[in-house]
């Protein structure tokens, strides 16, 4: 295991560095932008443009998986140039621009798909450099807390985004233009905060091998890192996208359709409350057990989908479990990866694992979309439960030899 070195100025007992707080503010604003679009898309594509579940699954897979290759590119470039902030800024800027393109493509499935892919490409470029900035600024024993705080601030944006979409739809209906323009404004402000307030020490990292594509891929030769990468990808194959989870919860519980854009609020609220304490818990008891436990909670969400007509109670329980799933997995995985790779390959190491997850979730979205299109609802849900159960067992067995995280 590699141990990160932290500048003395960042070793503030009991606190996370200011860099983490500033990046949290950037993510908050950016997530308002992103979640406005995420909340709007199911209603827009399925009920305004009348797309089938198979088409929606393909587009949702693009939205989820288009980050894959560019995660590797962003990770490598930021490690190679030692300019994590600059590479992240390019990614944030690309996502901001795409929000203004969405209204121009109209009802074209190809245009929507291409724009969604470009938006997620921006996310792919920025994610690994951003997480590297967090991990390099934070003492190793507080990585879980730092990522928990960052994801908590990010989740404030996830709360506000769907709420703003709901209000805009209430005022102007399912007109796409206002949603995307307001979304773009938040994205631009987030980019400004990144450029103006996030600090980065430009000196090259000294711990570990020289950054290169080969060195990044060679991390997979390390048994612990390889098991983590494979295990997280296997779990990604059995993880339904948020859009499908919310659609299925609405259908299974019988909640009114007009509440669909608000369902992400429930997940985000739980995530907001739980992210920091769960991150601290992961620092104490091990990050991999907490990460795996999060997927057990997600399994509970899938099982609840079989209890039809549970109404608002079913919605509340499902969103509680879904929010806890994210609190136990999102930042916790990045903290675990950061503890396994050297400083010089921090972004590349994060990118390899994140790319595996992105590709796996692309396959999951496309496959489940076709299943939901051509099979009965119950059959699709049983398939989701079975696949996640198998994935949890496989991931547990893969990492059984190194559970401490």
């Amino acid at each position: 295991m590699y141990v990160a070195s932290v500048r003395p100025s960042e070793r503030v007992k009991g606190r996370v560095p200011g860099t983490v707080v500033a990046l949290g503010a950037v993510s908050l604003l950016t997530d308002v932008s992103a979640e406005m679009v995420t909340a709007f898309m199911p209603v827009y594509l399925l009920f305004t443009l009348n797309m089938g579940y198979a088409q929606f699954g393909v587009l949702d897979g693009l939205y989820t998986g288009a980050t894959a290759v560019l995660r590797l590119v962003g990770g490598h470039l930021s490690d190679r140039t030692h300019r994590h902030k600059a590479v992240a800024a390019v990614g944030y800027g690309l996502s901001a621009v795409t929000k203004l393109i969405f209204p121009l493509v109209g009802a074209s499935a190809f245009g929507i798909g291409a724009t969604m892919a470009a938006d997620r490409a921006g996310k792919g470029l920025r994610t690994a450099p951003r997480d590297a900035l967090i991990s390099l600024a934070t003492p190793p024993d507080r990585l879980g807390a730092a990522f928990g705080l960052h994801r908590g601030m990010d989740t404030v944006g996830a709360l506000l985004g769907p709420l703003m979409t709901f209000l805009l739809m209430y005022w102007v209906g399912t007109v796409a233009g206002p949603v995307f323009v307001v979304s773009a404004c938040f994205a631009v402000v987030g980019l400004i905060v990144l450029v103006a307030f996030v600090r980065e020490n430009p000196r090259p990292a000294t711990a570990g091998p020289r950054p290169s594509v080969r060195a990044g891929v060679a991390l997979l030769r390390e048994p612990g890192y390889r098991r983590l990468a494979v295990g997280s990808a296997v779990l990604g194959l059995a993880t339904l996208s948020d859009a499908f989870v919310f659609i299925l919860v609405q259908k299974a519980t019988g909640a009114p359709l007009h509440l669909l854009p608000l369902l992400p609020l429930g997940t985000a609220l739980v995530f907001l409350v739980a992210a920091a304490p769960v991150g601290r818990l992961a620092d104490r008891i091990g990050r991999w057990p907490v990460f795996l436990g999060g997927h057990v909670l997600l399994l509970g969400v899938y099982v609840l989908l079989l209890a039809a007509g549970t109404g608002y109670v079913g919605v509340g329980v499902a969103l509680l479990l879904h929010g806890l799933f994210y609190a136990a997995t999102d930042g916790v995985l990045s903290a675990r990866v950061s503890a396994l790779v050297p400083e010089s390959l921090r972004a590349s190491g994060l990118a390899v694992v994140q790319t595996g997850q992105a590709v796996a979730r692309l396959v999951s979205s496309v496959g489940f979309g076709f299943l939901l299109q051509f099979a009965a609802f119950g059959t699709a849900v049983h398939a989701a439960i079975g696949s996640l159960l198998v994935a949890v067992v496989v991931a547990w067995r893969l990492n059984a030899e190194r559970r401490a995280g």
Side-chain angles (χ1 to χ4, degrees):
M1 179 183 297
Y2 299 94
V3 178
S5 63
V6 183
R7 296 188 301 275
S9 61
E10 299 287 14
R11 294 185 183 277
V12 183
K13 186 175 181 179
R15 299 181 182 178
V16 297
T19 297
V20 178
V21 178
L23 285 167
V26 174
S27 291
L28 188 158
L29 292 163
T30 304
D31 223 43
V32 172
S33 172
E35 293 301 325
M36 285 184 69
V37 175
T38 299
F40 183 65
M41 279 301 177
V43 175
Y44 183 58
L45 297 180
L46 292 174
F47 304 107
T48 300
L49 302 184
N50 295 313
M51 287 187 178
Y53 286 117
Q55 286 178 292
F56 180 79
V58 172
L59 290 176
D60 188 64
L62 282 173
Y63 196 64
T64 304
T67 66
V69 174
L70 283 179
R71 285 178 189 262
L72 293 173
V73 173
H76 172 68
L77 284 177
S78 61
D79 280 338
R80 188 66 178 266
T81 63
H82 313 296
R83 294 293 185 272
H84 303 297
K85 175 179 171 178
V87 176
V90 173
Y92 281 109
L94 178 58
S95 291
V97 170
T98 60
K99 302 303 190 301
L100 297 176
I101 298 176
F102 272 114
L104 303 179
V105 301
S108 166
F110 175 80
I112 292 172
T115 309
M116 290 172 76
D119 181 21
R120 293 298 85 182
K123 179 177 175 64
L125 276 175
R126 71 180 183 251
T127 299
R130 180 204 64 202
D131 284 354
L133 282 169
I134 294 171
S135 68
L136 291 172
T138 306
D141 61 343
R142 292 204 295 275
L143 282 170
F147 278 105
L149 174 65
H150 173 267
R151 298 310 197 255
M153 294 181 70
D154 180 271
T155 305
V156 174
L159 278 166
L160 296 176
L163 181 60
M164 297 208 57
T165 294
F166 176 79
L167 292 174
L168 284 171
M169 289 176 63
Y170 179 79
W171 290 327
V172 301
T174 56
V175 181
V179 173
F180 293 123
V181 170
V182 174
S183 172
C185 291
F186 276 99
V188 170
V189 174
L191 179 61
I192 292 171
V193 172
L194 174 72
V195 173
F197 296 104
V198 173
R199 295 179 299 172
E200 179 184 26
N201 188 336
R203 67 172 178 81
T206 57
R210 180 181 177 87
S212 68
V213 174
R214 178 177 296 180
V217 175
L219 288 170
L220 292 169
R221 296 174 185 169
E222 295 286 338
Y225 179 84
R226 182 173 62 249
R227 286 193 292 266
L228 182 67
V230 174
S232 61
V234 168
L235 289 166
L237 282 172
T239 300
L240 300 183
S241 71
D242 290 355
F244 271 126
V245 169
F246 298 137
I247 290 169
L248 294 176
V249 168
Q250 185 271 326
K251 287 176 65 68
T253 61
L257 178 62
H258 68 271
L259 293 181
L260 181 58
L262 288 180
L263 295 187
L265 285 174
T267 293
L269 181 60
V270 176
F271 188 13
L272 173 63
V273 173
V278 171
R280 291 192 294 269
L281 176 66
D283 285 338
R284 289 197 301 270
I285 70 171
R287 291 156 191 155
W288 179 256
V290 171
F291 178 74
L292 197 60
H295 287 84
V296 175
L297 295 173
L298 182 62
L299 186 62
V301 177
Y302 295 177
V303 171
L304 280 172
L305 296 174
L306 298 176
T310 54
Y312 293 112
V313 173
V315 171
V317 175
L319 296 182
L320 172 64
L321 293 175
H322 198 231
L324 290 173
F325 155 71
Y326 270 111
T329 57
D330 192 7
V332 171
L333 179 61
S334 293
R336 177 60 179 144
V337 175
S338 296
L340 291 174
V341 296
E343 280 190 24
S344 63
L345 295 175
R346 187 62 51 83
S348 298
L350 287 161
V352 170
V353 173
Q354 292 166 355
T355 296
Q357 276 196 314
V359 171
R361 290 185 177 183
L362 185 155
V363 174
S364 172
S365 288
V366 173
F368 190 77
F370 277 91
L371 184 62
L372 197 58
Q373 177 80 37
F374 299 109
F377 178 86
T379 301
V381 172
H382 277 100
I385 292 172
S387 60
L388 182 56
L389 183 60
V390 171
V392 167
V393 172
V394 170
W396 174 74
R397 292 296 299 273
L398 279 171
N399 290 269
E401 297 177 9
R402 291 189 63 171
R403 295 182 189 176

